[in-house]
Amino acid sequence: MTRIAVLGSTNMDLVAYTERAPRLGETVTGREFRTVPGGKGANQAVAAARAGGDVLMIGAVGDDAYGGLLRDNLEHSGVDTDLLHTAEGPSGTAHIVVDSAGANAIVVIPGANATVTALGPGEIAAIAGAGLLLLQLELPLSAVVEGARTARAQGVRTILTPSPVQPLPAELLDCVDLLVPNEHEAAELSGFADPWAAADHLLGRVPVVVITLGAKGCLYAARGTEPVLFPAPEVTAVDTTGAGDTFVGTLAVALAEHRPVPEALAWAAAAAALCVQRPGASASMPYRTEIEAA
Ligand code: ADP
């Protein structure tokens, strides 16, 4: 089976549900608290492993109590964590306040993720031996660039999720085979709010772009062909957290299995549609049998 390497973040999401978020200096009593394993890298790894991929996670957790829980969560879904290092100090955390309208305010503290500034020989060999590399932007950019360069030098296909969105250096984009922004990230990166115009612009920098459009589906654009809109299955969404990561992780598995693009996108959309119908991020990601049934 083609191996999928994920070089990315692992966070514990600490979520406080409250009627209304406190103003600075104020204390409010909330309704509920949940700790939810997250981080875009770990979420994509979980989604890919559950979809049937052979997945290896490269990154770091802290030596605190969350570190062990985050590692267990990945392993529970079948992700290889041999290259998920344990760094001295706290794990990455996201402190999230969700109000009764579902609006949120988030403080992300990178913690151990910030220690991943460069790759060692083990990580380089793992990327070189993989068939696909998944990248996001929650690790230091130096490591992301090094991962992409290593993949390019070894002929390993690279998929980049440009989140959290930031200006992307040419040295990174030159090594990306497939860019998967959501609508807002695509607009930010291209300067065009219209996804068709954004895709056209982004194709000047990478050969293939898939812009995810939430309930509307996704726009697939490859150099030299007309962009195609793939609609998403119509479902009732209860929590769209993790939809994009489920989409990318599942898409990676389908591409690793050499499925044709329309089939791979349909698979990714089916998995993401299953994810949004259940609460939570990584916990709501579907397994292969569920995706196939859908
Ligand atoms: P992100 O989660 O990164 O913001 P999107 O909101 O674009 O990304 O969602 C990613 C994918 O998840 C979409 O392309 C779609 O396939 C699926 N998706 C998201 N929201 C819904 C929804 N309400 N109904 C069906 N599919 C959805």
Side-chain angles (χ1 to χ4, degrees):
M1 206 192 314
T2 305
R3 194 143 234 233
I4 298 169
V6 181
L7 172 61
S9 61
T10 309
N11 288 331
M12 188 60 93
D13 294 350
L14 310 170
V15 195
Y17 296 89
T18 172
E19 197 51 39
R20 112 187 136 67
R23 288 183 295 272
L24 273 186
E26 186 191 19
T27 302
V28 298
T29 299
R31 270 187 287 117
E32 193 189 340
F33 173 68
R34 283 196 207 152
T35 50
V36 188
K40 292 197 78 68
N43 283 348
Q44 292 189 358
V46 166
R50 289 189 179 188
D54 174 17
V55 184
L56 166 86
M57 179 79 199
I58 304 171
V61 293
D63 61 2
D64 54 359
Y66 294 139
L69 294 171
L70 292 168
R71 183 181 297 281
D72 288 351
N73 179 64
L74 285 160
E75 288 173 358
H76 185 75
S77 288
V79 176
D80 180 338
T81 62
D82 284 357
L83 290 176
L84 182 69
H85 299 284
T86 300
E88 237 174 73
S91 297
T93 46
H95 304 253
I96 307 174
V97 176
V98 183
D99 74 9
S100 57
N104 59 37
I106 306 177
V107 178
V108 174
I109 298 174
N113 296 299
T115 66
V116 187
T117 53
L119 305 181
E123 286 81 38
I124 288 173
I127 292 171
L132 264 174
L133 174 66
L134 302 191
L135 297 171
Q136 318 77 31
L137 300 173
E138 288 187 341
L139 289 185
L141 198 58
S142 55
V144 177
V145 170
E146 195 181 349
R149 279 187 165 166
T150 303
R152 175 52 54 98
Q154 301 293 332
V156 176
R157 213 160 159 192
T158 294
I159 303 179
L160 172 67
T161 303
S163 176
V165 69
Q166 54 186 276
L168 300 175
E171 56 176 346
L172 174 58
L173 279 183
D174 288 350
C175 300
V176 170
D177 297 290
L178 168 57
L179 185 70
V180 189
N182 67 18
E183 210 169 352
H184 313 290
E185 291 152 2
E188 185 89 21
L189 289 174
S190 67
F192 295 98
D194 172 57
W196 271 263
D200 189 52
H201 177 89
L202 293 170
L203 284 183
R205 304 188 70 189
V206 293
V208 185
V209 179
V210 173
I211 302 179
T212 63
L213 304 168
K216 288 175 287 181
C218 71
L219 184 66
Y220 171 83
R223 272 183 199 155
T225 63
E226 280 297 308
V228 186
L229 179 71
F230 287 86
E234 271 185 46
V235 298
T236 305
V238 300
D239 182 354
T240 60
T241 322
D245 294 331
T246 303
F247 185 94
V248 171
T250 310
L251 180 63
V253 174
L255 295 176
E257 292 176 359
H258 307 291
R259 291 173 190 250
V261 167
E263 191 184 324
L265 292 173
W267 234 57
L274 286 166
C275 168
V276 303
Q277 290 175 78
R278 305 180 250 198
S282 59
S284 67
M285 289 169 175
Y287 286 87
R288 189 180 184 97
T289 48
E290 299 172 273
I291 302 168
E292 277 168 352

